[in-house]
Amino acid sequence: MEVHNGQNVRFWTDIWHPQGRLIEIAGEIGTLKLGVTRTALICDVRNETGWAFRRCRDGQMRELINLVETHRMEENTHLQDVVLWRKNETEFCKHFSTAKTWHRIRTHGPSKEWSKVIWFMFGVPRFAFITWLAIRNMLSTGERMRSWGQVQGCIFCGEPNETRDHLFFACPYTYTLWIEVVGTLLGRPPDPDWKNTLQHLITHGFGELEYILVRLVFQTTVYMIWRERNDRRHLKKPRQSNLLAKIIDKTVKNRITTTVYTKKPRLRV
Ligand SMILES: [Zn+2]
């Protein structure tokens, strides 16, 4: 806090002194020793002549009083106190930026090579999220559920081991679907192998618009397969792969047309 009239800054618990929160220096007992309540504002403790602390002989408290009295503040009773935001380790500023704050508090790591397959303009967040889980192999497939004592085979073809790699796209049902929706977009025949598919999406030199489309088709397919798999588990009516292909096709088309006509974005990858 930048103190001016002191009406919005708590003496003990706000950070306004370079040493940090005073309550952490003095401890709860300090409030009694100095005669300043825990919720007191700076304007309650100061008057025209300076700080108004209770007389106190305690050495630690004398040190604290000295710290407070020697700290220079740009006091101005006509100005409101200002909240400051941390800019870096030593500097504070008056403007709050969500982006800067996020970068300050998050743990930074190197970018994954697959991140561009997940995050791109025109992407649909819920499709990106499920695809992100799939890439990290964090979807609760039968293989992962086994550690919870649940045995669950592939609901599409009966394969006893339902793994991520089986679902995308080694399973006959999902591979048929993948072939149908992706067509010639990959620039080569679709591969049932998950790692090959992902590697191709990361490294193949697609054109700009082509790359947007291929990622959108990929993510929509992963999402729809996962949804169909869950729907079937909840005993909903199964959809044939050609019907699901039509739904994916329509979803992708809708996404492209609504984005182009309503948002008028600049095309950038
Ligand atoms: Zn299967």
Side-chain angles (χ1 to χ4, degrees):
M1 298 292 296
E2 188 178 280
V3 182
H4 291 296
N5 63 14
Q7 289 173 2
N8 287 299
V9 186
R10 288 180 195 274
F11 176 79
W12 289 111
T13 49
D14 278 334
I15 301 178
W16 59 273
H17 193 279
Q19 297 288 325
R21 288 189 183 83
L22 298 183
I23 192 81
E24 283 164 22
I25 300 173
E28 296 292 335
I29 193 77
T31 59
L32 295 174
K33 287 182 177 170
L34 283 195
V36 177
T37 60
R38 201 179 198 287
T39 53
L41 300 166
I42 286 200
C43 64
D44 300 328
V45 198
R46 272 184 80 84
N47 53 37
E48 307 80 57
T49 52
W51 295 97
F53 299 121
R54 178 183 287 169
R55 281 183 173 211
C56 175
R57 288 200 195 131
D58 182 295
Q60 199 195 350
M61 287 305 122
R62 296 277 354 138
E63 237 173 74
L64 183 85
I65 290 169
N66 189 41
L67 276 179
V68 171
E69 286 180 342
T70 51
H71 172 58
R72 282 178 59 83
M73 293 190 296
E74 288 181 31
E75 260 182 303
N76 184 338
T77 49
H78 302 296
L79 283 182
Q80 291 291 317
D81 303 316
V82 182
V83 178
L84 298 177
W85 300 94
R86 191 180 280 283
K87 196 170 157 193
N88 51 43
E89 286 312 313
T90 51
E91 288 177 283
F92 292 83
C93 62
K94 290 179 185 174
H95 306 289
F96 176 72
S97 151
T98 44
K100 279 186 187 146
T101 305
W102 164 237
H103 284 299
R104 269 204 58 77
I105 60 176
R106 76 187 182 93
T107 309
H108 291 251
S111 290
K112 301 285 183 191
E113 57 170 358
W114 43 256
S115 65
K116 61 181 178 176
V117 177
I118 306 289
W119 315 115
F120 63 100
M121 205 188 262
F122 307 134
V124 180
R126 66 181 188 284
F127 299 170
F129 180 66
I130 295 296
T131 311
W132 177 68
L133 288 180
I135 286 183
R136 302 184 66 227
N137 203 7
M138 296 292 276
L139 289 171
S140 51
T141 57
E143 183 195 32
R144 287 175 56 84
M145 295 306 282
R146 192 165 303 148
S147 58
W148 297 79
Q150 295 224 358
V151 178
Q152 199 86 73
C154 173
I155 204 145
F156 299 123
C157 73
E159 152 70 40
N161 197 16
E162 189 205 46
T163 60
R164 185 266 319 266
D165 291 22
H166 175 77
L167 282 174
F168 314 108
F169 305 96
C171 173
Y173 171 88
T174 61
Y175 186 48
T176 309
L177 176 70
W178 180 228
I179 291 172
E180 195 159 342
V181 292
V182 82
T184 55
L185 267 179
L186 292 169
R188 67 164 201 194
D191 192 318
D193 185 271
W194 170 261
K195 285 194 179 69
N196 289 348
T197 305
L198 188 60
Q199 201 54 35
H200 185 67
L201 290 175
I202 294 167
T203 53
H204 185 70
F206 292 98
E208 193 178 44
L209 293 177
E210 203 183 17
Y211 200 30
I212 290 172
L213 189 59
V214 79
R215 286 176 294 180
L216 202 51
V217 169
F218 174 66
Q219 291 193 5
T220 312
T221 308
V222 169
Y223 175 85
M224 290 296 180
I225 287 173
W226 188 245
R227 199 180 74 169
E228 174 68 12
R229 176 251 190 214
N230 292 335
D231 281 352
R232 291 192 186 197
R233 291 237 186 285
H234 293 103
L235 305 176
K236 287 198 183 157
K237 196 171 162 235
R239 279 175 281 221
Q240 295 302 312
S241 61
N242 57 354
L243 176 60
L244 202 54
K246 278 195 186 115
I247 295 171
I248 293 170
D249 203 50
K250 205 172 161 201
T251 308
V252 171
K253 275 186 187 145
N254 280 347
R255 178 62 183 166
I256 290 169
T257 48
T258 53
T259 315
V260 170
Y261 293 120
T262 61
K263 293 186 180 166
K264 294 192 173 62
R266 280 166 297 155
L267 288 180
R268 223 178 339 146
V269 186

